[in-house]
Amino acid sequence: MKSSKRQCIRYVSPVPATAKQGTETRNGVEASIWTERMLAALANGVKGGKWFSLIDKVVRLQTLEIAWRKVAANKGAAGVDGQSIDRFANKASVYLQELADSLKAGTYCPQPVKRVEIPKGPGKKRPLGIPVVKDRIVQTALKLVIEPIYENVFDESSYGFRPGRGCKDALREVDLLIKEGLTHVVDADLSSYFDTIPHDRLMALVEERISDGRVLDLLRGFLKQDIISGLERWTPMGGTPQGAVISPLLANLYLHPLDSLMRSKGYRMVRYADDCAPRRREKEAVM
């Protein structure tokens, strides 16, 4: 479906930026974002099982500064606006303040995602989405705030794109299961997984734990970002771009019910993204 419509996030944040805190990590999350009180709520549960007030932490200048440092460390190509990491770095403090102001004022508008094709295997390619630097920063800030909520419930069988986990850990688990005598293996490769996730079902899973409407609007805006490939431009009806900062978390969330179902049925599953090889794939080995 072709479109030139830009998806804008419009809200006004009623919460001002707070005083600066430390930027150390605590229990694997940013201490300046996830306070002791929030961690206690994460461990003990929140009222109704849903989180309501999160957007003020996303739009806070300090959160955006932390996000920028992570984006800068990851390098990456410029998006459709042509702005590189180095160019952003030259005026980072100015750009970050502008970004914080636009988020709070409700005028922040994600730009289209640049799509390129990269080698996938012999004679094959896969699409990679490249958001602009500012959108990568906002997505990283959003991820810093909401990821601990979902990491707290993700299954132990899930290894792909998770903090402190990787495919080598998954392969060690597979090796352990084989040594335990589970030698009948089903190896499944999810084809075009990122590009085929239904938006409505994905957002329903997000909303099971987050009720902050402004955070939800932000996520919907990123899912509906226009895609530009050469001279073509369209609005996606499904999927989340490979290459977008928030995509791995959303991809894991969509498969979480599968992880839980397989465990409830007594199957030993190891699900991971094959990021040890040039080709990154979502794979599942079901014992």
Side-chain angles (χ1 to χ4, degrees), residues 8-51:
C8 299
I9 313 305
R10 303 201 175 277
Y11 59 82
V12 177
S13 173
V15 184
T18 60
K20 288 190 174 182
Q21 304 174 46
T23 58
E24 74 276 5
T25 60
R26 182 191 296 117
N27 293 349
V29 299
E30 292 289 340
S32 60
I33 302 170
W34 276 81
T35 62
E36 291 285 0
R37 182 178 179 181
M38 291 176 68
L39 288 172
L42 190 65
N44 301 324
V46 292
K47 186 176 181 180
K50 294 187 177 184
W51 294 76

Side-chain angles (χ1 to χ4, degrees), residues 115 126-127 191-198 227 237-242:
R115 173 170 285 194
R126 70 176 176 90
S191 178
S192 301
Y193 171 60
F194 278 79
D195 291 333
T196 56
I197 300 174
I227 296 174
M237 295 295 100
T240 181
Q242 295 187 64

Side-chain angles (χ1 to χ4, degrees), residues 157 173 177 180 182 262-263 266-270 285-287:
S157 65
E173 179 66 12
L177 293 174
E180 288 181 3
L182 302 175
M262 297 301 286
R263 181 173 293 278
Y267 293 102
R268 304 288 294 277
M269 183 169 76
V270 180
V286 183
M287 309 295 179

Side-chain angles (χ1 to χ4, degrees), residues 3-206:
S3 170
S4 61
K5 181 180 179 182
R6 300 178 71 184
Q7 298 294 325
C8 299
I9 313 305
R10 303 201 175 277
Y11 59 82
V12 177
S13 173
V15 184
T18 60
K20 288 190 174 182
Q21 304 174 46
T23 58
E24 74 276 5
T25 60
R26 182 191 296 117
N27 293 349
V29 299
E30 292 289 340
S32 60
I33 302 170
W34 276 81
T35 62
E36 291 285 0
R37 182 178 179 181
M38 291 176 68
L39 288 172
L42 190 65
N44 301 324
V46 292
K47 186 176 181 180
K50 294 187 177 184
W51 294 76
F52 290 88
S53 300
L54 296 171
I55 193 63
D56 62 299
K57 298 165 184 62
V58 176
V59 305
R60 184 186 298 162
L61 180 59
Q62 184 180 9
T63 305
L64 296 173
E65 289 170 345
I66 297 170
W68 156 239
R69 289 195 289 271
K70 292 181 178 295
V71 169
N74 287 334
K75 306 292 185 181
V80 295
D81 62 354
Q83 186 178 54
S84 65
I85 293 291
D86 289 340
R87 282 183 58 192
F88 189 96
N90 289 334
K91 296 178 62 177
S93 60
V94 174
Y95 290 141
L96 290 173
Q97 186 61 63
E98 291 175 351
L99 195 54
D101 292 343
S102 66
L103 283 163
K104 293 170 187 174
T107 57
Y108 168 73
C109 186
Q111 295 188 54
V113 174
K114 179 181 179 181
R115 173 170 285 194
V116 297
E117 302 287 332
I118 62 173
K120 183 179 180 181
K124 297 182 179 180
K125 294 183 177 181
R126 70 176 176 90
L128 180 70
I130 306 176
V132 300
V133 174
K134 286 185 178 181
D135 289 345
R136 300 207 299 260
I137 292 170
V138 176
Q139 287 191 23
T140 301
L142 184 61
K143 182 172 179 281
L144 287 169
V145 173
I146 70 172
E147 184 174 57
I149 295 171
Y150 297 106
E151 275 293 317
N152 193 48
V153 298
F154 281 165
D155 197 272
E156 287 295 312
S157 65
S158 170
Y159 288 86
F161 306 115
R162 293 186 60 189
R165 290 178 159 227
C167 72
K168 291 183 179 179
D169 300 304
L171 293 174
R172 279 191 283 268
E173 179 66 12
V174 170
D175 182 63
L176 178 62
L177 293 174
I178 291 174
K179 289 176 180 177
E180 288 181 3
L182 302 175
T183 56
H184 290 80
V185 179
V186 176
D187 185 2
D189 185 353
L190 302 184
S191 178
S192 301
Y193 171 60
F194 278 79
D195 291 333
T196 56
I197 300 174
H199 288 169
D200 55 346
R201 297 180 186 176
L202 174 60
M203 287 306 302
L205 290 170
V206 173

